[in-house]
Amino acid sequence: MSETETRQDSRPRRALVSIRNLSKSFPGVRALDNCQFELLPGEVHALMGENGAGKSTLMKVLSGVYQKDEGEILIDGQPVEIPDPRSAQALGIGIVHQELNLMNHLSAAQNIFIGREPRRGIFIDERALNRKAAGIFERMHLKLDPRTPVAQLTVAKQQMVEIAKALSFDSRVLIMDEPTAALNNVEIDDLFRIIRQLQSNGVGIVYISHKMDELKQIAGRITIMRDGQYVGTVPAESTPMETIISMMVGRQLDTSPRRPVQRANGELALEVKGLTRGSVIRDVSFTLRKGEVLGLAGLMGAGRTEVARAVFGADPVERGEIRVHGKKVSIRSTQDAVRQGIGYLSEDRKQFGLATGMDVKTNVALASMSRFASLGMFLDDSAIQRTADQYVGQLRIKTPSVHQQVRLLSGGNQQKIVIAKWLLRDCDILFFDEPTRGIDIGAKTEIYKLIDALAADGKAIVMISSELPEILRMSHRVLIMCEGRITGELAAGEATQEKIMQLATQREPVVTE
């Protein structure tokens, strides 16, 4: 690993952070094994690896959440101990987690300095508080009123507040974990502008992401981890994507775009006509056939998730008609939808798809508990375990056993458990909402194969995704939405990213009198 060079600057510089021969174990698990990492001033250094590779554990050691078992950490060339997060902050190390940790009822400034507010006597000095926050925003070249309640901010702006909070500790090292997971392209550009501004001020940034195209834009170097071990560090600009993927997974993956062959006109599985709910869903109509993957594309706020939730009975609608296998049905609740053979894999799997504190077998059986009940009240636990074991094998879910708590598994394996839950329920119609968000390239490939297999088995699938290459790779047809309306439909053979984006930004003309 080079001690001194990055793409941004080839002059020798002392490393801000050096991690050497670091190891960390948990009961029964060697999470980190002889790892190394280096961060230079003003560098964006990407950290990549499959889920469970050890990226987050390594950064939690650096930020004081975990304590190392072996090895050393050097800051500015000097060995340090980081026993807790407060010690990390004192050393100038800040972290922006993937899940934002803000209080919505407080202002941006109050969130940044919570517990450290400037005071006049016993009272908080709100004017000084807002002035200090405004100073940080000015350093970030960010136009944001520090008095604005966080609840009124977009996800992108909330992320900027998290960054500002980290910088309020005079952070020289900023760890960013999947910072663009919930951002659209415009918001990502804004985040990158902030990152480049921080770079110019000498802040070193550790950037954890699964999005290859982003890393090529923003990172100078990429360090790859696999199975808790350091694999290597490569220059981002000149290293082929295939090489990086091979280093991550230890094998070659087929990442070439796949154009699905248009399915023959199979039986109609789902018909939606005139679905409407205020300005969120506006007269939406579409059809879905057995064996088809229907892509649903659009920018954030276009109404894609809202349509899925309405069909699934999670949200009420004002009007509209739904037919399942040609029969008009009334879906007023999620239970109604499940009875009609409709399953929904939420984009927020942890909140809506899983009981993460429970074990694998319970989660697999969650939507089908009645079939395991005897005498109306006793559950056949051995039958649940046999069924869960079957799906763990079928979907290649990586878990020590079906008794493992779901929260301890990687994102890709959690997603497979949600899929297993709906497969056990034998749903004919499946809505996949952002099925690969936050999971690595290897797990993505497995999810893609699984969706293909389900379609080949005659399942009818709607796939919502913000990643256009994913939509193009998987869909037989693509529906595009903008501001609650369907603005176009493209067959697989004619769909391109440019055409999709054109339709995704096709706002309804404003009528003036």
Side-chain angles (χ1 to χ4, degrees), residues 17 26 33 50 58 75 159 235 246 254 276 286 319 374 379 409-410 416-417 456 489 512:
V17 176
F26 299 100
D33 185 9
E50 294 189 272
L58 184 63
I75 304 293
Q159 197 133 41
S246 179
D254 178 16
T276 299
F286 64 92
R319 59 182 178 274
S374 59
L379 288 175
L409 301 183
S410 69
K416 289 181 183 179
I417 291 168
E489 176 183 324
T512 56

Side-chain angles (χ1 to χ4, degrees), residues 384-410:
I384 292 175
Q385 181 167 334
R386 284 195 304 272
T387 303
D389 280 328
Q390 174 191 333
Y391 280 102
V392 164
Q394 180 182 332
L395 302 184
R396 294 196 295 176
I397 299 170
K398 294 178 183 176
T399 176
S401 76
V402 295
H403 302 288
Q404 179 79 312
Q405 283 193 0
V406 167
R407 66 181 180 84
L408 299 175
L409 301 183
S410 69

Side-chain angles (χ1 to χ4, degrees), residues 20-91:
R20 299 174 181 170
N21 306 319
L22 192 140
S23 297
K24 174 67 179 175
S25 293
F26 299 100
V29 178
R30 181 82 159 173
L32 298 174
D33 185 9
N34 202 33
C35 288
Q36 54 184 305
F37 184 79
E38 177 193 78
L39 180 68
L40 302 179
E43 177 188 26
V44 177
H45 193 145
L47 186 58
M48 294 194 71
E50 294 189 272
N51 290 104
K55 309 182 299 294
S56 294
T57 302
L58 184 63
M59 289 301 103
K60 284 179 178 178
V61 171
L62 180 59
S63 58
V65 177
Y66 298 150
Q67 285 69 54
K68 61 184 172 62
D69 296 333
E70 301 169 17
E72 61 178 350
I73 300 172
L74 289 80
I75 304 293
D76 291 325
Q78 299 300 313
V80 297
E81 295 296 327
I82 309 178
D84 51 48
R86 189 179 293 272
S87 301
Q89 290 166 354
L91 289 166

